């Protein structure tokens, strides 16, 4: 689709017994179109359908997926890439590289091996890296210099030329790379996996991917936006872990927590329209958590208490022991999911909501309602 266009999408559930929905991950759209069962709609049963209508305000790389039983349904294939093209002419060679894991098998697009594609040298290329799996992926590019030009569906201005670095893309995250196609082959690889993509101009040796040091958005390019001088509200998001009961007390397992509570026992973060809000993440658990906020982008401005070059993210990897401070501008009324995009973690408690004062939802979740977003 193009930026600003009104789009209508009809979801038809032919035969998925557990029900389905579609969430448009990273698109800051009106709350009613957000596609979360039990929050913005009822899940769509077999034989049912649901119509989404929205405009995507920003060109960029996104993806979509079911938000009903998502830990299971996304892994099994109910996902896809969503590209919002700019009004101005886009790069002539626009390539999506979506990494997934299906039943333990790594995929890039629909292939479980390296693919090769004939291309014309000299063409400007935009390579859209998407990670739809549950854990971080490291991509590497060999045979060309490149720049990171967008992160999570927002342009990243002023980035310098890179070569040989690894691009860590959190679960649910997107990074766009750009380069002019050289006269020799370019190879995209995913660390530890046999998938890949070779852009082949027809001659020259295909280089090996090096997977050098991790690219760090915190020290790259120009600030994506100014950091607010003051905040109306400050919220802590302390991520931890404890033992808890599942399946009505029949199973004891680890539970992920925010401020000591696991879903559904945790309070929502309440905003007022127009607020400038600070969320301070800290991770005291024994895993990384790619935290995803629906309906808004977060301006990341500090890590471990030190300022960074601000960038926009909707899916921010909070590593073990890390702290991040982000700014959120409250201008999209609704009740919004805020959860870990390692989806089994979400299914084990790492879910909360951001809600606006005075806004509620007529939808209900829980096994009695057929709405189980995680
Ligand atoms: Cu892509 Cu609530 O998620
Ligand atoms: Cu997590």
């Amino acid at each position: 689709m193009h930026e600003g266009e009104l789009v209508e999408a009809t979801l038809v559930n032919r035969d998925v017994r557990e029900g389905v929905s579609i969430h448009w991950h990273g698109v800051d759209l009106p709350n009613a179109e957000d596609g979360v069962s039990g929050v913005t709609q009822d899940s769509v049963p077999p034989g049912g359908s649901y119509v989404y209508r929205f405009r995507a305000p920003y060109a960029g790389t996104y993806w979509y997926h079911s938000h009903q039983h998502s830990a299971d349904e996304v892994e099994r294939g109910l996902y896809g890439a969503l590209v919002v093209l700019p009004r101005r002419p886009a790069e002539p060679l626009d390539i999506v590289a979506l990494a997934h894991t299906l039943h333990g098998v790594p995929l890039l697009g629909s292939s479980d091996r390296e693919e090769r594609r004939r291309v014309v040298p000299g063409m400007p290329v935009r390579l859209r890296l998407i990670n739809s799996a549950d854990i971080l992926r490291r991509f590497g590019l060999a045979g060309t210099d490149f720049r990171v030009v967008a992160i999570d569906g927002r342009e990243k201005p002023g980035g310098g030329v890179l070569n040989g670095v690894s691009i860590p893309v959190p679960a649910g995250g997107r990074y766009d790379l750009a380069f002019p196609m050289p006269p020799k082959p370019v190879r995209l690889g995913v660390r530890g996996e046999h998938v890949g993509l070779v852009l082949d101009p027809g001659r020259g040796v295909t280089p090996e991917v090096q997977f050098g040091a991790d690219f760090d958005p915190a020290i790259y390019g120009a600030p994506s936006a100014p950091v607010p001088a003051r905040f109306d509200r400050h919220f802590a998001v302390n991520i931890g872990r404890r033992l808890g009961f599942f399946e009505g007390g029949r199973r004891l397992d680890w539970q992920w927590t925010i401020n000591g509570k696991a879903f559904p026992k945790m309070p929502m973060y309440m905003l007022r329209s127009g607020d400038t809000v600070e969320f301070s993440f800290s991770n005291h658990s024994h895993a990384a958590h790619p935290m995803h906020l629906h309906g808004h982008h977060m301006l990341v401005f500090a890590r471990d208490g030190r300022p960074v070059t601000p960038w926009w993210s909707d899916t921010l990897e909070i590593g073990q022991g890390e702290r991040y401070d982000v700014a959120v501008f409250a201008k999209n009324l609704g009740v919004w999911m805020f959860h870990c995009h390692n989806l089994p973690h979400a299914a084990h408690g790492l879910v909360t909501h951001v809600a606006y004062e005075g806004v509620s939802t007529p939808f209900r979740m829980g096994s009695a309602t057929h709405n189980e977003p995680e």
Side-chain angles (χ1 to χ4, degrees):
M1 64 176 76
H2 284 92
E3 125 188 78
E5 271 174 356
L6 181 62
V7 172
E8 181 177 277
T10 305
L11 165 66
V12 178
N13 180 1
R14 204 178 296 156
D15 58 4
V16 181
R17 209 163 7 107
E18 296 76 17
V20 295
S21 73
I22 304 181
H23 168 58
W24 312 91
H25 183 118
V27 183
D28 297 341
L29 38 61
N31 193 226
E33 310 304 315
D34 199 41
V36 181
S37 66
V39 180
T40 63
Q41 66 174 92
D42 285 322
S43 64
V44 178
S49 64
Y50 191 90
V51 179
Y52 299 91
R53 277 189 205 93
F54 61 90
R55 292 176 203 276
Y58 291 95
T61 307
Y62 304 90
W63 63 298
Y64 63 93
H65 60 81
S66 181
H67 222 307
Q68 161 75 356
H69 284 283
S70 54
D72 183 49
E73 293 189 359
V74 177
E75 195 264 339
R76 291 168 64 192
L78 293 185
Y79 68 90
L82 175 62
V83 173
V84 179
L85 293 168
R87 295 271 181 186
R88 61 172 165 77
E91 282 83 355
L93 214 54
D94 193 308
I95 298 168
V96 170
L98 192 165
H100 191 70
T101 305
L102 183 69
H103 296 310
V105 179
L107 299 177
L108 193 64
S110 54
S111 176
D112 61 357
R113 60 196 63 158
E114 186 173 84
E115 298 287 317
R116 196 168 271 270
R117 210 168 133 167
R118 280 303 281 270
V119 299
V120 179
M123 286 238 259
V125 181
R126 180 175 282 237
L127 195 51
R128 302 171 184 272
L129 310 178
I130 309 176
N131 181 4
S132 63
D134 290 323
I135 55 170
L136 184 132
R137 299 299 242 291
R138 285 189 171 78
F139 291 80
L141 196 63
T144 183
D145 292 343
F146 61 95
R147 294 171 202 270
V148 171
V149 291
I151 302 172
D152 288 353
R154 292 290 180 276
E155 294 294 307
K156 179 69 216 180
V161 168
L162 302 165
N163 198 307
V165 296
S166 298
I167 306 287
V169 181
R174 291 90 60 214
Y175 276 69
D176 293 13
L177 315 182
F179 54 91
M181 184 63 207
K184 287 184 289 191
V186 168
R187 177 180 252 150
L188 174 70
V190 182
R191 189 155 141 195
E193 300 178 358
H194 295 297
V195 297
L197 177 66
V198 176
L199 303 179
D200 187 356
R203 62 195 151 81
V205 180
T206 306
E208 291 302 322
V209 179
Q210 295 307 330
F211 300 108
D214 278 356
F215 169 80
D216 185 359
I219 51 170
Y220 188 70
S224 296
V227 179
R230 50 169 292 280
F231 292 94
D232 301 300
R233 298 177 190 224
H234 298 263
F235 291 120
V237 184
N238 298 319
I239 303 172
R241 190 177 75 152
R242 64 154 192 236
L243 276 170
F245 287 101
F246 289 84
E247 292 161 16
R250 272 173 287 136
R251 192 163 59 85
L252 188 65
D253 205 344
W254 288 106
Q255 216 173 24
W256 305 100
T257 58
I258 295 178
N259 299 341
K261 303 232 177 2
F263 186 79
K265 296 233 170 70
M266 58 181 75
M268 294 191 191
Y269 294 99
M270 297 301 296
L271 315 184
R272 195 177 296 146
S273 205
D275 278 353
T276 302
V277 184
E278 180 183 38
F279 287 93
S280 298
F281 294 97
S282 59
N283 179 357
H284 313 284
S285 72
H286 296 86
H289 303 286
M291 292 300 292
H292 174 46
L293 174 60
H294 286 213
H296 304 73
H297 274 66
M298 306 178 272
L299 184 67
V300 185
F301 67 87
R303 180 169 61 202
D304 297 332
R306 281 186 294 277
V308 301
T309 306
W311 81 95
W312 292 109
S313 173
D314 57 51
T315 315
L316 180 65
E317 177 97 351
I318 317 287
Q320 284 182 51
E322 278 186 331
R323 286 184 295 132
Y324 276 96
D325 296 301
V326 306
V328 170
F329 301 92
K331 50 184 183 195
N332 199 3
L333 278 182
V335 179
W336 300 99
M337 295 288 266
F338 186 23
H339 63 93
C340 179
H341 223 287
N342 184 330
L343 295 173
H345 290 182
H348 281 68
L350 201 29
V351 178
T352 183
H353 294 81
V354 165
Y356 283 65
E357 287 178 4
V359 180
S360 65
T361 171
F363 302 104
R364 293 286 172 266
M365 59 174 76
S367 40
T369 64
H370 305 290
N371 291 325
E372 295 188 76
E374 305 309 331

